[in-house]
Amino acid sequence: MTDPKYPRSEVNSEKCKGCGLCIAACPMHVLVESPKLNSKGYHFAEYVGKGCVGCGNCFYNCPEPDAILVYLKNYDPEKEV
Amino acid sequence: MARMLMKGNYAAVYGAAMAGCTAYYGYPITPASEIAESAASLFPKLGRTFLQAESEVAAINMVYGAAGSGQRVMTGSSGPGISLKLEGISYCAGAALPCVIVDIMRGGPGLGNIGPEQSDYNQVVKGGGHGNYSSIVLAPNSCQEMCDYTMKAFELADKYRTPVFVLTDGVIGQMMESVTIPEPVKELPDKSDYAVYGTPLHKNLVNSIYIDHDDLEEWNLTLHKKYQVIKKEEVMYEEYMMEDAEIAVIGYGSVSRVLRTAVDAARAKGIKMGLFRPVTLFPFPEKEIAAMPGKGVKHILTVELSTGQMVDDVNLALAGSIKSDLYFRLGGNVPSADEILGKISELYGEVK
Amino acid sequence: MKKTMLQKPKGFIDEYKHKAGAEKDRTHYCPGCGHGILHKLIAEALEDFGLVDETILISPVGCSVFAYYYFDTGNFQAAHGRAPAVATAASRANPDKIVISYQGDGDLAAIGGNNILQAANRGENIVVFFINNAIYGMTGGQMAPTTLEGQVTTTTPYGRNTDTDGFPIKMSEVLSQLTAPTYIERVSLHDAPHIRKTRNAVRKAIKNAKERKGFQFVEVLSTCPSGWKMDPVKSMKWVKEKMLPLYPLGVYRDLGDDAKITTRPVPVMDPVAVWEKLGISAEADVDFPRGDVAEEYRKLSIRVAGFGGQGIMVTGQALASVALEYGYNVSWLPSYGPEMRGGTANCSVNIQDGQIGAAEAVKPSMLLAMNRPSLEKFEEAVEPGGTLIYNSTLIDIEPTRADIKVFAIPITGIADELGNTRVQSMVNIGAYAAITDMFRVEDVIALLPKLFKGKKQAILDLNAKAVKAGFAYVKDNFK
Ligand SMILES: Cc1ncc(C[n+]2csc(CCOP(=O)(O)OP(=O)(O)O)c2C)c(N)n1
Ligand code: SF4
Ligand code: SF4
């Protein structure tokens, strides 16, 4: 498999509270707990950079409105304003 | 024909209907039940909401919801029901929501009885619920006033965004008198700055939480200022034969009517007695009472259907300038005019 | 439109301006808290259905007390347990809006248990989202009504003991016993597939609300990692292993298209229409011309007393009603209280010009005694110079007072002769009219349809006869 840009997930490291629910929910195991801490002292989640299938599990498991976003398969940066 | 014979409890609902009240939420209790019953009969004719709530607690929280939705809304109850409503009334005060609560007082404590008493004075006039708040309290003494003051209560509630009580006892609630129905209001105040309508332009918040200590202190000070304005602007009272009075009797609600009869009887005997009747209990007519000794009043007798609740406010106003006295009956008993006169001569025998 | 991106739904406010403190870009919830997950599903549904601007959300007391920080809707914050009551009124006031009551299990199932039950039973047109996390989160992990048997909380330190603490309460099952609710489902947030099912339930409930389909209830099994003292991932497992067996997921009610559509009346506010609907005429009141009333009857304080069933209250009210039409000030006060059920009845009527003082006729200037106990009880109180009218059919003793005027009238007898004891009241009115000259018989008869609203003509005719008979008796036998 190549390394397509989309789909992929993106974690906002500052808003993430490090609960780990997205990591547990990811079927592709492409989310991991960062060894780094954010300014609140949480080990935030990180996307490993490839392998996301855009299932959306992480988004819906994440309790924080703005901590994670997922670019789906059909995402086309050209079409987004 | 706008003139009708009706019970005080009915008159309150007519007043509400004329004030543009669009929702009534209540729970039955003697001697206030006719309020719910008359709202149940009148409001549907006007396409307005009547709902018999599951409890007084539910009713007052429905009032909170309706007031927050921008409606003129009312509930009615008596002693035990008012006790249950207090948390909700505190919420209304805290969220600055206008609403009208009619309390037809009965005998307490506990289940007490359904006779007339005035023993809700403290729980109604002194705030009652938690937090630093006061409700405006109007105390009608006739069926016409039940109608007129309920209508006025809605105006005051909106003017100050605060709960307003119409406080009276079972006598006024249960008696019938001629009531001339006032004309309905033509225009209602705009509430779009705070009411929640569920529209894009009115994403308001109805709320009484201020998590930050400084914020809550500031909000309390805002409320406090409001109460100071109310104290300055909204005092109402009635005087009868007070011009040359040496004895002043003070009473509100049904008691004030007995006192009026007593004053007539006293005057017939040459006793210079006058009646002072607070119409608003909050704000209390402190200044007028404080001024009495300076105007030649030598004796003040407060008469209540409670063991001395309003008399505390009378004495606060007098600030020790003269000693005042108290006479009360309880448990549903109402003093007669003769009884009052007996008390007067017992206390102030030398006055003739 | 198919989504190309999953991001913070527009049902949320951009910046949480109501939130205290500096962090206005994130929620106050603990890491991994189920509240946040449900919030997201609601906010997304509101955005997707274009309903953000038509929604009113009620925040409860509990950890979601600050739900209003986040939702870009109209917002109420309600007292503990009372969100369904507040929602009821908000929905009645705004019948075409989506009204959401968001509640925790302490709020909904404990303190507000009756409020939710009654709102459901009325079939209020509201959506209730019920977070069941088996604990009181906000106050630090005390027992909730939903707490599991044996579960340790700060108020069940030895585990919930069903002997003393009762059993976990199953709200979906309880509410499904009611007739009115349209849709009740229990869902769970414990893994991604179940979150999707929860998402569907949330959307269905909100869609139903849009169609005004009445009461919608979605119970959401959720987590409280802080209260449970468990990490978020383990918490999800705990829901699956411990909560699911006790709280079966599924649809407990779905009326679908059979749901009744809620309709509410539009309030009449136009002043002219208001009076019209209430039957109040705008024309000025015209008083009957007054007769020549003797001085002693111009200020009357009347006690009417007798057995219950003798028309005591009706007599009193009729006196007041008729006097009112002559422009007098009147009052009527029933004796109410313990006496009411004792079989005796009495009332006080005042008729005068000018302001009426005491309503109770303690020293009546007129006593109308319909039976012997009443005469015995009240005769002494009559003002010297006053008037006593007594029912000589039933009273076999002589009055004792010499300083009052006395009219012995066989009231019951006259009524019986007319064929109906119940017309005693109008015999009284006729007699009163003759004694005082205050009412004219034809005026009273003209008022009968108003006094006996909705009564048949035959009844009115009989009462008219009674008025005349009472009047005639006095005119024939006295003066
Ligand atoms: C009348 C009243 N009693 C008690 C409280 C204190 N209190 C605040 S939140 C809460 C429990 C809330 O628990 P729950 O509804 O389960 O919500 P959660 O915090 O778990 O989401 C209590 C008892 C209150 N605010 N008001
Ligand atoms: S969208 Fe699915 S696959 Fe991609 S990171 Fe999130 S959970 Fe993993
Ligand atoms: S205490 Fe529990 S319910 Fe409350 S925010 Fe934290 S995890 Fe959520």
Side-chain angles (χ1 to χ4, degrees), chain B residues 87, chain C residues 35 61-63 80 104-107 111 133 135-139:
Chain B
E87 183 202 28
Chain C
H35 277 299
V61 169
C63 281
H80 198 17
D105 43 24
D107 193 83
I111 191 167
N133 61 10
I135 205 158
Y136 283 15
M138 176 167 230
T139 38

Side-chain angles (χ1 to χ4, degrees), chain A residues 14-15 17 19-21 40 55-57 59-66 69-72 74-75 80, chain C residues 3-8 12 16 23 25-27 29 31-33 36-37 40-41 44 192 195-196 199 232:
Chain A
E14 267 308 301
K15 290 179 187 169
K17 290 174 176 167
C19 71
L21 290 180
K40 296 282 150 204
C55 69
N57 282 2
F59 176 80
Y60 288 111
N61 271 263
C62 174
E64 205 40 47
D66 207 13
L69 60 81
V70 177
Y71 297 95
L72 298 174
N74 55 352
Y75 181 82
E80 306 289 323
Chain C
K3 287 180 205 272
T4 61
M5 226 177 135
L6 299 174
Q7 60 182 332
K8 179 179 168 181
F12 287 126
Y16 310 135
E23 292 171 15
D25 59 353
R26 67 200 74 182
T27 68
Y29 293 111
C33 173
I37 302 176
K40 197 183 260 181
L41 298 177
E44 186 197 29
I195 290 177
R196 273 175 218 278
R199 182 172 180 266

Side-chain angles (χ1 to χ4, degrees), chain C residues 310 368-370 389-395 407-418 420-421 423-428 431 435 466 469-478:
Chain C
Q310 277 188 310
L368 174 45
M370 293 293 285
I389 304 168
Y390 75 94
N391 181 10
S392 56
T393 314
L394 296 185
I395 300 175
F407 295 86
I409 305 174
I411 295 161
T412 309
I414 296 173
D416 284 343
E417 247 168 63
L418 291 171
N420 191 337
T421 317
V423 300
Q424 287 174 105
S425 310
M426 288 302 122
V427 175
N428 287 339
I435 292 167
F471 188 87
Y473 187 89
V474 171
K475 288 294 176 200
D476 293 348
N477 292 282
F478 300 97

Side-chain angles (χ1 to χ4, degrees), chain C residues 163-412:
Chain C
D163 288 346
T164 50
D165 307 324
F167 293 84
I169 192 162
K170 305 178 181 187
M171 286 309 294
S172 291
E173 285 85 336
V174 169
L175 295 184
S176 67
Q177 300 307 306
L178 303 173
T179 308
T182 298
Y183 172 52
I184 300 173
E185 182 168 358
R186 182 184 286 124
V187 290
S188 170
L189 298 176
H190 69 272
D191 63 20
H194 285 90
I195 290 177
R196 273 175 218 278
K197 281 194 183 150
T198 302
R199 182 172 180 266
N200 290 339
V202 165
R203 296 168 87 86
K204 178 168 181 160
I206 290 177
K207 247 199 195 129
N208 282 350
K210 172 71 192 159
E211 291 163 21
R212 298 163 72 152
K213 281 187 175 165
F215 189 80
Q216 319 293 321
F217 187 82
V218 181
E219 174 173 351
V220 182
L221 301 186
S222 182
T223 58
C224 175
S226 302
W228 297 355
K229 303 185 174 53
M230 227 180 265
D231 76 50
V233 176
K234 274 212 191 93
S235 298
M236 290 299 194
K237 260 208 201 104
W238 196 83
V239 171
K240 183 176 171 194
E241 286 165 9
K242 306 284 185 193
M243 290 181 78
L244 283 193
L246 182 71
Y247 294 112
L249 304 183
V251 175
Y252 287 82
R253 169 71 54 81
D254 188 0
L255 295 186
D257 290 337
D258 294 337
K260 223 173 119 196
I261 306 300
T262 308
T263 54
R264 303 279 183 224
V266 179
V268 176
M269 300 308 285
D270 173 63
V272 176
V274 166
W275 271 24
E276 230 173 70
K277 299 256 178 209
L278 296 181
I280 303 170
S281 136
E283 274 161 46
D285 297 297
V286 183
D287 295 341
F288 289 135
R290 290 194 193 177
D292 207 2
V293 180
E295 176 68 30
E296 62 192 301
Y297 295 128
R298 287 192 198 151
K299 183 173 188 223
L300 281 174
S301 169
I302 307 166
R303 174 85 70 175
V304 186
F307 294 126
Q310 277 188 310
I312 303 304
M313 299 299 165
V314 177
T315 299
Q317 285 182 12
L319 283 174
S321 300
V322 178
L324 172 71
E325 300 293 341
Y326 290 89
Y328 288 101
N329 281 336
V330 298
S331 71
W332 171 86
L333 177 71
S335 70
Y336 81 102
E339 262 181 82
M340 207 163 71
R341 301 193 201 284
T344 61
N346 79 79
C347 63
S348 298
V349 177
N350 284 283
I351 301 176
Q352 66 178 76
D353 286 318
Q355 211 167 320
I356 296 169
E360 171 128 18
V362 179
K363 285 197 295 184
S365 52
M366 180 182 281
L367 170 63
L368 174 45
M370 293 293 285
N371 64 4
R372 184 172 160 171
S374 307
L375 181 67
E376 286 167 344
K377 184 168 176 195
F378 293 113
E379 185 186 353
E380 235 7 80
V382 177
E383 280 264 35
T387 303
L388 165 66
I389 304 168
Y390 75 94
N391 181 10
S392 56
T393 314
L394 296 185
I395 300 175
D396 51 7
I397 51 165
E398 291 291 314
T400 55
R401 295 274 298 270
D403 60 339
I404 55 177
K405 260 179 269 145
V406 177
F407 295 86
I409 305 174
I411 295 161
T412 309

Side-chain angles (χ1 to χ4, degrees), chain B residues 106-125:
Chain B
R106 57 185 255 168
L111 206 44
N113 67 26
I114 58 172
E117 255 196 22
Q118 297 182 320
S119 46
D120 288 358
Y121 185 95
N122 280 346
Q123 74 164 348
V124 167
V125 178

Side-chain angles (χ1 to χ4, degrees), chain C residues 43 57 103 122 279:
Chain C
L57 185 119
Q103 302 181 258
R122 288 189 301 265

Side-chain angles (χ1 to χ4, degrees), chain B residues 309-330:
Chain B
Q309 299 193 12
M310 182 175 74
V311 74
D312 289 348
D313 281 331
V314 171
N315 285 331
L316 273 177
L318 290 172
S321 59
I322 57 172
K323 181 182 153 295
S324 88
D325 297 289
L326 169 68
Y327 184 65
F328 56 79
R329 291 298 303 271
L330 304 167

